[in-house]
Amino acid sequence: MSRKLLFALVAFIALAAAGAGWWWHTTSARLDTVLATLPATPDLADAAPVLREVVNDADKRARTRGTARDGLVELARVYHANGYLDEAMACYVGLAQLEPAEPRWPHLHATILAGFGEIDPAIELWQRVVKLAPDYTPAALRLGDSLLKATRIEEAAATYRAVLERNPAEPYALFGLARIDYEAGRDRAALERIERVVQLTNFQLGYDLIVHLYERLGQRERADAIRGTQKAFGAHRDPPDPWYDELIEACYDPYRLALAAGVSDRNGDPATALLLLRRALELDPKDVSTRFQLGTLAARQGDVRTAREQLERCTVLDPSFADPWAHLSALHERQGDQVAADRTLAAGLRNCPQSPGLHLMRARRLKATGRIDEAINEYNLSIRYRPNEPDAYIELGNALISAGREAEGIQQMRLALETDPAHPVLLMVLALNAISRGDEAEARIWMARVADQPRVPREHAARLNQSFREKFGKPWRP
């Protein structure tokens, strides 16, 4: 071997040794960090077998030189996605030490802290995230919301404004500033922003606030008009957050998957909802509520085959669950198979003889075929089993009126009003009845209640006013 070749070989060996030493040192330090923060495996006795397998595999990798970091990442995702939040936070602490420039770990850690009501430490983490990833809007929005909860108003406003500098049409940032203006009594400024918010989100954000603002500013008609045409959406919806939302891919909890499917469906993403529900059923094929959720979603999407399969399976798994019978019967009816619809409804009533919904469905079908006396009996059964909802009373009242038993029908309407004192249809019917009977005093009482109910369409209220004027020769309200 030539001297030159020998020197080259020695140099290569030296470099390889140095590289191996560097790798050994680096992986040793990484493994030490992981082992120092790695949480003990929680009790998974009641978890799905696949979840136990995934956790055990990830834990082994987290304890192995060369795969420690990847194992810890997988544990963090799986623990977080399946509700083992203390363990997930321990993993995020370790990952933040391993990768201090990675914004995902403090962001996901902060979402857990905020959920526990630990706002101040969550704020600290989100402030770090915003510095590391200034363009990741969901983190900035969460930071703004947390600052607002902590009554650090100026900091919250500055955070929202920074978001709007990058995206002037970001509805959640506009909503945050509108809330600040509202609480400070700057109603005009708040209204300007919240009107933009409801325009951008089609009232899925800002519904309640805009109604309050219109009322505070004396614009009662505009507030009533929104109440009459829009549906309140309930709890505030968090903004889309891809880093958080992608955790669902690591979820092996059927219940959590079904909940996430419901959120996806409400947010206009039925394709994702269907995938999540199918995953949930793979984990627990006997979960009737998930099958029912999948069946009704498939029906709304026009997938009749899947809807029928899932609803039929529900009736086999739990024949005492009335809703699948009702939806399956309605599905047959929509497909033009009345025989199958009636057969399914009859089977449902045999298995669920005290179901108010199934009796109401049978009453409607009997009424539609002119069998009024039988329909009246079914309406009464529906009322007996569910006396605190108005639908059966209203329909029974209409059936009685159509059978010439007007006094009995109106009495049912009054009973219905006891279950829902603000029901717009009932108020209009009772007002019209009093007008037709010439009872001006009673008519005025009902007309006043109609006027105070924003869910009564304006054109219907106008026709009632006209009927009152024609009957009594004067407007009901001077």
Side-chain angles (χ1 to χ4, degrees), residues 1 4 66 70 119-120 125 140 185 223 245 270 280 282 326 333 343 348 374 386 393 469:
M1 179 181 296
K4 183 181 292 186
D70 293 343
I119 299 301
D120 289 337
L125 289 175
D245 295 340
E282 288 176 4
E333 188 171 37
R343 183 174 62 245
E374 293 173 80
R386 187 164 58 198
Y393 291 100
R469 184 181 296 107

PDB file of all heavy atoms in Angstrom, residues 1 4 66 70 119-120 125 140 185 223 245 270 280 282 326 333 343 348 374 386 393 469:
ATOM      1  N   MET A   1       0.862  -1.194   0.000  1.00  0.00           N
ATOM      2  CA  MET A   1       0.000   0.000   0.000  1.00  0.00           C
ATOM      3  C   MET A   1       0.896   1.241   0.000  1.00  0.00           C
ATOM      4  O   MET A   1       1.830   1.334   0.792  1.00  0.00           O
ATOM      5  CB  MET A   1      -0.899   0.007   1.235  1.00  0.00           C
ATOM      6  CG  MET A   1      -1.806   1.220   1.337  1.00  0.00           C
ATOM      7  SD  MET A   1      -2.827   1.190   2.826  1.00  0.00           S
ATOM      8  CE  MET A   1      -3.825  -0.257   2.559  1.00  0.00           C
ATOM      9  N   LYS A   4       0.754   7.413   0.354  1.00  0.00           N
ATOM     10  CA  LYS A   4      -0.360   8.371   0.147  1.00  0.00           C
ATOM     11  C   LYS A   4      -1.694   7.712   0.453  1.00  0.00           C
ATOM     12  O   LYS A   4      -2.572   8.294   1.108  1.00  0.00           O
ATOM     13  CB  LYS A   4      -0.320   8.875  -1.292  1.00  0.00           C
ATOM     14  CG  LYS A   4      -1.385   9.920  -1.582  1.00  0.00           C
ATOM     15  CD  LYS A   4      -1.329  10.389  -3.028  1.00  0.00           C
ATOM     16  CE  LYS A   4      -0.052  11.179  -3.275  1.00  0.00           C
ATOM     17  NZ  LYS A   4      -0.048  11.767  -4.638  1.00  0.00           N
ATOM     18  N   GLY A  66     -30.964   7.351  19.229  1.00  0.00           N
ATOM     19  CA  GLY A  66     -31.190   7.511  17.794  1.00  0.00           C
ATOM     20  C   GLY A  66     -32.645   7.731  17.420  1.00  0.00           C
ATOM     21  O   GLY A  66     -32.938   8.293  16.369  1.00  0.00           O
ATOM     22  N   ASP A  70     -37.997  11.255  18.037  1.00  0.00           N
ATOM     23  CA  ASP A  70     -39.199  10.866  17.303  1.00  0.00           C
ATOM     24  C   ASP A  70     -40.192  10.148  18.207  1.00  0.00           C
ATOM     25  O   ASP A  70     -41.412  10.334  18.078  1.00  0.00           O
ATOM     26  CB  ASP A  70     -38.825   9.973  16.115  1.00  0.00           C
ATOM     27  CG  ASP A  70     -38.048  10.721  15.053  1.00  0.00           C
ATOM     28  OD1 ASP A  70     -38.078  11.973  15.066  1.00  0.00           O
ATOM     29  OD2 ASP A  70     -37.398  10.074  14.208  1.00  0.00           O
ATOM     30  N   ILE A 119     -54.052  30.704  32.713  1.00  0.00           N
ATOM     31  CA  ILE A 119     -53.912  31.688  31.648  1.00  0.00           C
ATOM     32  C   ILE A 119     -52.513  32.308  31.610  1.00  0.00           C
ATOM     33  O   ILE A 119     -51.917  32.461  30.534  1.00  0.00           O
ATOM     34  CB  ILE A 119     -54.976  32.792  31.812  1.00  0.00           C
ATOM     35  CG1 ILE A 119     -56.386  32.176  31.715  1.00  0.00           C
ATOM     36  CG2 ILE A 119     -54.808  33.858  30.724  1.00  0.00           C
ATOM     37  CD1 ILE A 119     -56.675  31.466  30.422  1.00  0.00           C
ATOM     38  N   ASP A 120     -51.966  32.662  32.751  1.00  0.00           N
ATOM     39  CA  ASP A 120     -50.670  33.359  32.753  1.00  0.00           C
ATOM     40  C   ASP A 120     -49.550  32.518  32.151  1.00  0.00           C
ATOM     41  O   ASP A 120     -48.798  33.008  31.291  1.00  0.00           O
ATOM     42  CB  ASP A 120     -50.315  33.815  34.169  1.00  0.00           C
ATOM     43  CG  ASP A 120     -51.205  34.956  34.642  1.00  0.00           C
ATOM     44  OD1 ASP A 120     -51.767  35.659  33.766  1.00  0.00           O
ATOM     45  OD2 ASP A 120     -51.348  35.146  35.861  1.00  0.00           O
ATOM     46  N   LEU A 125     -46.141  31.185  27.085  1.00  0.00           N
ATOM     47  CA  LEU A 125     -45.809  30.280  25.986  1.00  0.00           C
ATOM     48  C   LEU A 125     -46.226  30.864  24.646  1.00  0.00           C
ATOM     49  O   LEU A 125     -45.471  30.797  23.658  1.00  0.00           O
ATOM     50  CB  LEU A 125     -46.476  28.923  26.216  1.00  0.00           C
ATOM     51  CG  LEU A 125     -45.903  28.076  27.354  1.00  0.00           C
ATOM     52  CD1 LEU A 125     -46.740  26.823  27.552  1.00  0.00           C
ATOM     53  CD2 LEU A 125     -44.452  27.692  27.065  1.00  0.00           C
ATOM     54  N   ALA A 140     -51.404  33.839  17.506  1.00  0.00           N
ATOM     55  CA  ALA A 140     -51.597  35.244  17.869  1.00  0.00           C
ATOM     56  C   ALA A 140     -53.019  35.486  18.373  1.00  0.00           C
ATOM     57  O   ALA A 140     -53.234  36.235  19.344  1.00  0.00           O
ATOM     58  CB  ALA A 140     -51.288  36.140  16.675  1.00  0.00           C
ATOM     59  N   GLY A 185     -67.421  50.779  26.290  1.00  0.00           N
ATOM     60  CA  GLY A 185     -68.509  51.710  26.002  1.00  0.00           C
ATOM     61  C   GLY A 185     -68.370  52.432  24.685  1.00  0.00           C
ATOM     62  O   GLY A 185     -69.128  53.372  24.414  1.00  0.00           O
ATOM     63  N   ALA A 223     -82.186  44.798  15.775  1.00  0.00           N
ATOM     64  CA  ALA A 223     -81.916  43.681  16.683  1.00  0.00           C
ATOM     65  C   ALA A 223     -82.982  42.600  16.532  1.00  0.00           C
ATOM     66  O   ALA A 223     -82.668  41.403  16.445  1.00  0.00           O
ATOM     67  CB  ALA A 223     -81.857  44.179  18.122  1.00  0.00           C
ATOM     68  N   ASP A 245     -55.482  21.085  15.186  1.00  0.00           N
ATOM     69  CA  ASP A 245     -56.493  20.253  14.550  1.00  0.00           C
ATOM     70  C   ASP A 245     -55.910  18.947  14.016  1.00  0.00           C
ATOM     71  O   ASP A 245     -56.600  17.922  13.986  1.00  0.00           O
ATOM     72  CB  ASP A 245     -57.175  21.019  13.417  1.00  0.00           C
ATOM     73  CG  ASP A 245     -57.964  22.222  13.912  1.00  0.00           C
ATOM     74  OD1 ASP A 245     -58.298  22.251  15.115  1.00  0.00           O
ATOM     75  OD2 ASP A 245     -58.222  23.136  13.110  1.00  0.00           O
ATOM     76  N   PRO A 270     -68.170  18.037   5.785  1.00  0.00           N
ATOM     77  CA  PRO A 270     -68.748  16.709   6.010  1.00  0.00           C
ATOM     78  C   PRO A 270     -67.822  15.579   5.586  1.00  0.00           C
ATOM     79  O   PRO A 270     -67.906  14.476   6.129  1.00  0.00           O
ATOM     80  CB  PRO A 270     -70.022  16.735   5.154  1.00  0.00           C
ATOM     81  CG  PRO A 270     -69.769  17.777   4.116  1.00  0.00           C
ATOM     82  CD  PRO A 270     -68.920  18.817   4.786  1.00  0.00           C
ATOM     83  N   ALA A 280     -63.875   5.945  13.975  1.00  0.00           N
ATOM     84  CA  ALA A 280     -64.444   5.638  15.289  1.00  0.00           C
ATOM     85  C   ALA A 280     -65.104   4.260  15.279  1.00  0.00           C
ATOM     86  O   ALA A 280     -64.974   3.486  16.240  1.00  0.00           O
ATOM     87  CB  ALA A 280     -65.454   6.708  15.689  1.00  0.00           C
ATOM     88  N   GLU A 282     -64.342   1.746  13.304  1.00  0.00           N
ATOM     89  CA  GLU A 282     -63.317   0.705  13.226  1.00  0.00           C
ATOM     90  C   GLU A 282     -62.822   0.346  14.628  1.00  0.00           C
ATOM     91  O   GLU A 282     -62.510  -0.815  14.905  1.00  0.00           O
ATOM     92  CB  GLU A 282     -62.149   1.194  12.365  1.00  0.00           C
ATOM     93  CG  GLU A 282     -62.465   1.274  10.876  1.00  0.00           C
ATOM     94  CD  GLU A 282     -61.314   1.865  10.082  1.00  0.00           C
ATOM     95  OE1 GLU A 282     -60.255   2.136  10.692  1.00  0.00           O
ATOM     96  OE2 GLU A 282     -61.463   2.052   8.861  1.00  0.00           O
ATOM     97  N   ALA A 326     -86.969   5.999  13.300  1.00  0.00           N
ATOM     98  CA  ALA A 326     -87.634   7.166  12.708  1.00  0.00           C
ATOM     99  C   ALA A 326     -86.898   7.638  11.457  1.00  0.00           C
ATOM    100  O   ALA A 326     -87.508   7.904  10.416  1.00  0.00           O
ATOM    101  CB  ALA A 326     -87.725   8.294  13.732  1.00  0.00           C
ATOM    102  N   GLU A 333     -89.350   6.731   3.015  1.00  0.00           N
ATOM    103  CA  GLU A 333     -90.420   7.585   2.489  1.00  0.00           C
ATOM    104  C   GLU A 333     -89.871   8.549   1.439  1.00  0.00           C
ATOM    105  O   GLU A 333     -90.495   8.755   0.385  1.00  0.00           O
ATOM    106  CB  GLU A 333     -91.081   8.344   3.633  1.00  0.00           C
ATOM    107  CG  GLU A 333     -92.333   9.115   3.211  1.00  0.00           C
ATOM    108  CD  GLU A 333     -93.075   9.671   4.407  1.00  0.00           C
ATOM    109  OE1 GLU A 333     -92.417  10.090   5.378  1.00  0.00           O
ATOM    110  OE2 GLU A 333     -94.320   9.697   4.377  1.00  0.00           O
ATOM    111  N   ARG A 343     -93.679  -0.052   7.255  1.00  0.00           N
ATOM    112  CA  ARG A 343     -93.233  -1.266   7.934  1.00  0.00           C
ATOM    113  C   ARG A 343     -92.166  -0.951   8.987  1.00  0.00           C
ATOM    114  O   ARG A 343     -92.201  -1.465  10.104  1.00  0.00           O
ATOM    115  CB  ARG A 343     -92.686  -2.257   6.909  1.00  0.00           C
ATOM    116  CG  ARG A 343     -92.264  -3.586   7.519  1.00  0.00           C
ATOM    117  CD  ARG A 343     -91.872  -4.590   6.449  1.00  0.00           C
ATOM    118  NE  ARG A 343     -90.728  -4.128   5.670  1.00  0.00           N
ATOM    119  CZ  ARG A 343     -90.773  -3.834   4.376  1.00  0.00           C
ATOM    120  NH1 ARG A 343     -91.925  -3.932   3.708  1.00  0.00           N
ATOM    121  NH2 ARG A 343     -89.702  -3.427   3.730  1.00  0.00           N
ATOM    122  N   GLY A 348     -90.602   0.009  14.615  1.00  0.00           N
ATOM    123  CA  GLY A 348     -90.076   0.913  15.619  1.00  0.00           C
ATOM    124  C   GLY A 348     -91.013   1.065  16.795  1.00  0.00           C
ATOM    125  O   GLY A 348     -90.582   1.058  17.964  1.00  0.00           O
ATOM    126  N   GLU A 374    -107.820   8.385  13.997  1.00  0.00           N
ATOM    127  CA  GLU A 374    -106.643   7.614  14.402  1.00  0.00           C
ATOM    128  C   GLU A 374    -105.445   8.541  14.635  1.00  0.00           C
ATOM    129  O   GLU A 374    -104.642   8.320  15.550  1.00  0.00           O
ATOM    130  CB  GLU A 374    -106.297   6.582  13.326  1.00  0.00           C
ATOM    131  CG  GLU A 374    -107.343   5.489  13.163  1.00  0.00           C
ATOM    132  CD  GLU A 374    -107.025   4.593  11.981  1.00  0.00           C
ATOM    133  OE1 GLU A 374    -106.169   3.699  12.139  1.00  0.00           O
ATOM    134  OE2 GLU A 374    -107.599   4.815  10.896  1.00  0.00           O
ATOM    135  N   ARG A 386     -94.364  12.905  25.852  1.00  0.00           N
ATOM    136  CA  ARG A 386     -93.484  14.079  25.858  1.00  0.00           C
ATOM    137  C   ARG A 386     -94.350  15.323  25.981  1.00  0.00           C
ATOM    138  O   ARG A 386     -94.591  16.036  25.013  1.00  0.00           O
ATOM    139  CB  ARG A 386     -92.632  14.124  24.592  1.00  0.00           C
ATOM    140  CG  ARG A 386     -91.585  15.234  24.624  1.00  0.00           C
ATOM    141  CD  ARG A 386     -90.517  15.004  23.550  1.00  0.00           C
ATOM    142  NE  ARG A 386     -91.080  14.923  22.223  1.00  0.00           N
ATOM    143  CZ  ARG A 386     -90.449  14.387  21.167  1.00  0.00           C
ATOM    144  NH1 ARG A 386     -89.239  13.874  21.324  1.00  0.00           N
ATOM    145  NH2 ARG A 386     -91.025  14.337  19.988  1.00  0.00           N
ATOM    146  N   TYR A 393     -98.908  19.144  20.322  1.00  0.00           N
ATOM    147  CA  TYR A 393    -100.086  19.959  20.670  1.00  0.00           C
ATOM    148  C   TYR A 393    -100.548  20.769  19.459  1.00  0.00           C
ATOM    149  O   TYR A 393    -101.751  20.836  19.163  1.00  0.00           O
ATOM    150  CB  TYR A 393     -99.745  20.924  21.795  1.00  0.00           C
ATOM    151  CG  TYR A 393     -99.488  20.324  23.148  1.00  0.00           C
ATOM    152  CD1 TYR A 393     -98.185  20.139  23.601  1.00  0.00           C
ATOM    153  CD2 TYR A 393    -100.534  19.973  24.000  1.00  0.00           C
ATOM    154  CE1 TYR A 393     -97.923  19.621  24.858  1.00  0.00           C
ATOM    155  CE2 TYR A 393    -100.284  19.458  25.264  1.00  0.00           C
ATOM    156  CZ  TYR A 393     -98.975  19.284  25.685  1.00  0.00           C
ATOM    157  OH  TYR A 393     -98.734  18.771  26.927  1.00  0.00           O
ATOM    158  N   ARG A 469    -107.717  45.459  11.900  1.00  0.00           N
ATOM    159  CA  ARG A 469    -108.312  46.708  11.435  1.00  0.00           C
ATOM    160  C   ARG A 469    -109.639  46.436  10.733  1.00  0.00           C
ATOM    161  O   ARG A 469    -110.633  47.158  10.935  1.00  0.00           O
ATOM    162  CB  ARG A 469    -107.344  47.434  10.499  1.00  0.00           C
ATOM    163  CG  ARG A 469    -107.844  48.809  10.034  1.00  0.00           C
ATOM    164  CD  ARG A 469    -106.848  49.474   9.098  1.00  0.00           C
ATOM    165  NE  ARG A 469    -105.574  49.774   9.770  1.00  0.00           N
ATOM    166  CZ  ARG A 469    -104.448  49.114   9.572  1.00  0.00           C
ATOM    167  NH1 ARG A 469    -104.400  48.107   8.710  1.00  0.00           N
ATOM    168  NH2 ARG A 469    -103.338  49.447  10.228  1.00  0.00           N
TER     169      ARG A 469
END
